Amino acid sequence: MAVQHLPIERITSTDNAARNTEPPWTSTHSDGPTFDSAHRGRGPRPKLFHKVKNQRSILALVISDSKIYAGTQGGEILVWSLNTYELLSRISAHAGSVLSLFVSPDKKFLFSSAGDAIVNVWCTSSFSRLYSLFSIYDVGDVFCVVYSASLQTVYLGAQNTSIQWYDLSQKDVRPQPDLTLHPSQRNHRFFDSKGPGGVTTPRPSTIEETQAQGGQILNIDKDHIVQYAHFGYVYCMLIFIEASGDDEILVSGGGDGTIKLWSLDADAGVAIRNPVSLENGDDSILTLALEGTILYSGRLDGEINVWDLDTRQLIRRVKPDNADILTLSLGHGLIFSGGANGLARKFNSRYERISEWQAHERLILASAVATVNGKKLYATGGNDYCVAIWDVGDCVEAPAVKSTSSNEELLESLRQFVSYRTVSSMPEYAEDCRRGASWLRGLFKRFGADTEMLNTENSRNPIVFARFHGRSSKAQKGKKILFYGHYDVVAAENKKKTWNTEPFELHGINGYYYGRGVSDNKGPILAAIYAVADLVTKQQLDSDVLFLIEGEEECGSTGFEKAVQKNKHTIGEVDWILLANSYWLDDEFPCLTYGLRGVVHVTVHVESERPDLHSGVDGSYLLNEALKDLVTLIATLTGPAGEVQIPGFYDAVLDTTAEENDRYDAISRTLLQHNPELGDAQGLTKSFKARWSQPSLTVHHIGSSGPATSSIIPRSATAALSMRLVPNQSAVQIKAALQECLHQAFDKLNSSNHLRVEVNRIAEPWLGDPHNQIFQTLDEAIVEAWGSHSHRRRSSTSTKPMSKSVGAMTKVKPSPATSSTLANGSDHTPTATAAVANDHVISPLHQYFPCQTSPGPLYIREGGSIPAIRFLEKEFNAPAAHLPCGQASDCAHLDNERLRLSNLYKSREIFRKVFRELPSK
């Protein structure tokens, strides 16, 4: 069933004062007085399950086969997946606003009508246009379209008050259309009128220049038209079958306030005959919805009329307020209305309002209902350029029984997990961290794991330990897998409104879920937990899977090592270690990480025994200034080309092997096919080697005592710096070498100040073996989850302006590739049109490996550090592997952190295969 809607041109004339008033909600019988309802229905607002955004108003919606189709004011039809909320296609459908959408009962055809006086018929699998229908008369806007499958006939309602039809079974025997009568070739009374000097504006010479291309062009016969079907615009239509037989009835609603029931006469050219009028005032009928033989109509004055089509009687009038009812939808045993004030309302079968909520900022122009994967959804579209998908399952009296480990439950768990402000660096969130850990332990218990809280030193955040037992007959022989993760997150304050959403509330927008920790590391943790739960439910878990989820990773894993060593008897033996705490190189290619750099973080302090001084009073060359000493010291650590000048710093660095060189070259070639703007392959490879295989030193911050004015000589100065180390370098040795280097350089200054080097934290580098069984199992699982890779290449045309030339005056050193450039400069613009470069988009399932020459993931190393991974390898004498779950544009640690829904679901599939198959290898 499709619900038709008023075009935006009509709606925007609604009186603004009326939208902002809300009289008492009333319900009336047709033969009785108006009365205040005892059920005011101020119930809870449904959960906003997801939101997809566009750059123009959403005027029409229809849902079919887990896809949501949206017609826009810009003449486009947008198609999203209701499984992943990714944009499947963006079709340039019409030269005017898309006012109505209808899907055939067999779900093979999509019908669209628009302000360009055209009706198009589309294939729902290929999104190609099959037919294009037009009238030989100037009908104006085509407000609504429906289709009778039994008669193979399209019916349309138009602005010129007519209803017209076309029998598609006769398309090949009808005369060829006269294209000079096509709407795109007609002269417009205003726009094609002659200007000064008798000159008119040139117009396109062909039909193809003005509308979507492809398909067969058909014109409606002049005998297949009923002029003045209503004494007003024909706003909405639907088709139903009479209870007394198989006869189909066309129902139309018009601007004259009348509903008409038309018989469809198959013997008379599928014409509409013998209209029966249902009248109840003069206010326009803007939308219709049908359940059985009960017809609901939404009116311009804000009233919903309920008709019994068997008796042709008005049985109820429901008036929530004076705001126009622009859209009605029926489903899940409920009645949903959307109005010109942006309010959505739910009514039960007794027409009692259950609840209302502000669904859109202004007008609700379209709506639809659906059940997807057991979840009951209500979708609304408005002139705030977005489609909102609401979870209305809590309103259904007998909700469907769900699997406790469904993807919907996974999302609900992620929503709850993100809500805990588990910020380990801020003492005021200590209680939130504890509650988050307790919630996570409860989730483990719910799925049948044995759990325990492992305390850390100095009452830091506890470690959540859990053990899922494999089937007893095989668990003794199977190898045990330990999954490591962290539930703590970095701080995310939104006082300056730098987030598009609230950071500790999960928000779904355009196929992504936004929230602090959703990618780092709460989403991957839950994907792994639910993967094990799947295997436990199906009795396919043959060996134990262990979880160590700490709460101090973002603070250097304080207390983690001692807690693990203290509780090693509880944890037991481990054969494989798996973690998922990083991201792909870009947004397109799945990766496997086999190497991480280590790190030594230090703070260098230079202090004087004097207080802060005034430079005008006390400044002289005789004075040893703390800040000058510090700057001199820091300058000795690196050379002009960035090389580290600490003695022995590079002695243990290994040369890159031939196999690794091949990997680097393959990575560069693959990424450049997708994004040529990254530069040349040689430069990109050099950038990767510098970040992954070479150590570095970074100065993060320099500070000083005293007020931040230009006249103070500070008493003390500090500098925060770090050294990133590569495999075969020892963090302990490098730390000692740095301390010795700084003290020797300071002694040469012969300064009266004092030097102190504070080591904040260290982490050893890690290098895995890409040829071992855990990596190979992950490789197979990634290929199986993400599917085929023989797909078209993404457009290489830049969507961003080229940088300006600096001319010949300055020689500019080329900038190396960074995570931002690899993510193609993702700006997190939450619109459908920003998601693609061309009109037609291949299904996301056909984009995961668009140009990689091998089907598997990219094997990468990373420049970051994870303190726990090398420690766990040495402590349990077990090899580790690292599966990046997110994309380069996830913005972990930054504002607007996000995780693509597809990545979350696919990660769950990958973990499930690894937990099932790896123990037997």
Side-chain angles (χ1 to χ4, degrees), residues 740-772:
E740 183 178 356
C741 179
L742 287 172
H743 281 290
Q744 288 181 355
F746 187 76
D747 290 342
K748 292 179 182 179
L749 297 179
N750 196 27
S751 173
S752 60
N753 296 322
H754 304 285
L755 171 68
R756 179 166 56 92
V757 181
E758 177 187 1
V759 179
N760 305 112
R761 62 187 177 97
I762 65 174
E764 294 289 347
W766 166 71
L767 187 65
D769 177 12
H771 300 290
N772 67 20

Side-chain angles (χ1 to χ4, degrees), residues 47-52 63 68 80 82 85 360 375-380 387-392 508:
K47 294 178 182 177
L48 179 59
F49 189 69
H50 206 90
K51 183 182 288 186
V52 288
I63 295 176
I68 183 167
W80 284 282
L82 274 177
Y85 300 99
H360 292 267
K375 184 174 287 293
K376 300 184 183 303
L377 303 177
Y378 170 54
T380 56
V387 177
I389 295 98
W390 307 90
D391 180 1
V392 294

Side-chain angles (χ1 to χ4, degrees), residues 819-840:
S819 58
S820 177
T821 57
L822 289 170
N824 202 21
S826 175
D827 61 0
H828 289 244
T829 303
T831 64
T833 52
V836 293
N838 302 312
D839 285 344
H840 182 63

Side-chain angles (χ1 to χ4, degrees), residues 616-679:
V617 176
D618 297 301
S620 75
Y621 74 93
L622 296 175
L623 187 68
N624 297 128
E625 297 181 14
L627 186 54
K628 287 199 296 186
D629 286 353
L630 179 65
V631 172
T632 302
L633 282 181
I634 298 301
T636 65
L637 296 178
T638 58
E643 70 277 11
V644 181
Q645 295 184 325
I646 298 173
F649 186 78
Y650 293 100
D651 290 353
V653 177
L654 301 173
D655 292 333
T656 306
T657 65
E659 183 180 20
E660 277 208 306
N661 283 329
D662 291 341
R663 287 197 192 104
Y664 282 123
D665 291 340
I667 291 169
S668 297
R669 287 196 305 270
T670 300
L671 295 182
L672 285 170
Q673 290 179 58
H674 162 66
N675 188 4
E677 293 178 346
L678 292 175

Side-chain angles (χ1 to χ4, degrees), residues 363-386:
L363 311 179
I364 302 177
L365 300 171
S367 64
V369 294
T371 300
V372 179
N373 299 325
K375 184 174 287 293
K376 300 184 183 303
L377 303 177
Y378 170 54
T380 56
N383 64 345
D384 55 359
Y385 310 153
C386 79

Side-chain angles (χ1 to χ4, degrees), residues 708-863:
T709 65
S710 58
S711 60
I712 295 299
I713 301 175
R715 180 191 66 82
S716 62
T718 60
L721 58 89
S722 69
M723 295 172 291
R724 297 288 174 170
L725 313 179
V726 295
N728 208 47
Q729 284 185 301
S730 167
V732 174
Q733 293 176 1
I734 294 298
K735 175 195 70 172
L738 171 67
Q739 290 173 316
E740 183 178 356
C741 179
L742 287 172
H743 281 290
Q744 288 181 355
F746 187 76
D747 290 342
K748 292 179 182 179
L749 297 179
N750 196 27
S751 173
S752 60
N753 296 322
H754 304 285
L755 171 68
R756 179 166 56 92
V757 181
E758 177 187 1
V759 179
N760 305 112
R761 62 187 177 97
I762 65 174
E764 294 289 347
W766 166 71
L767 187 65
D769 177 12
H771 300 290
N772 67 20
Q773 291 173 333
I774 188 170
F775 273 102
Q776 293 309 302
T777 306
L778 282 165
D779 188 303
E780 295 167 3
I782 288 172
V783 174
E784 182 177 305
W786 289 104
S788 173
H789 60 280
S790 55
H791 314 302
R792 76 175 175 94
R793 201 179 111 180
R794 183 174 169 181
S795 172
S796 61
T797 303
S798 173
T799 59
K800 297 184 179 295
M802 297 293 292
S803 59
K804 296 180 179 179
S805 171
V806 296
M809 297 176 59
T810 307
K811 183 177 180 181
V812 179
K813 180 181 178 181
S815 299
T818 65
S819 58
S820 177
T821 57
L822 289 170
N824 202 21
S826 175
D827 61 0
H828 289 244
T829 303
T831 64
T833 52
V836 293
N838 302 312
D839 285 344
H840 182 63
V841 184
I842 304 299
S843 166
L845 294 177
H846 299 290
Q847 293 181 349
Y848 297 125
F849 297 98
C851 49
Q852 190 178 347
T853 55
S854 62
L858 297 176
Y859 281 80
I860 65 172
R861 291 167 65 167
E862 295 185 34

Side-chain angles (χ1 to χ4, degrees), residues 426-445:
M426 302 175 71
E428 57 264 39
Y429 291 119
E431 188 57 35
D432 285 76
C433 291
R434 288 277 175 174
R435 286 199 295 265
S438 297
W439 177 89
L440 184 60
R441 187 185 181 195
L443 184 66
F444 280 122
K445 287 182 177 180

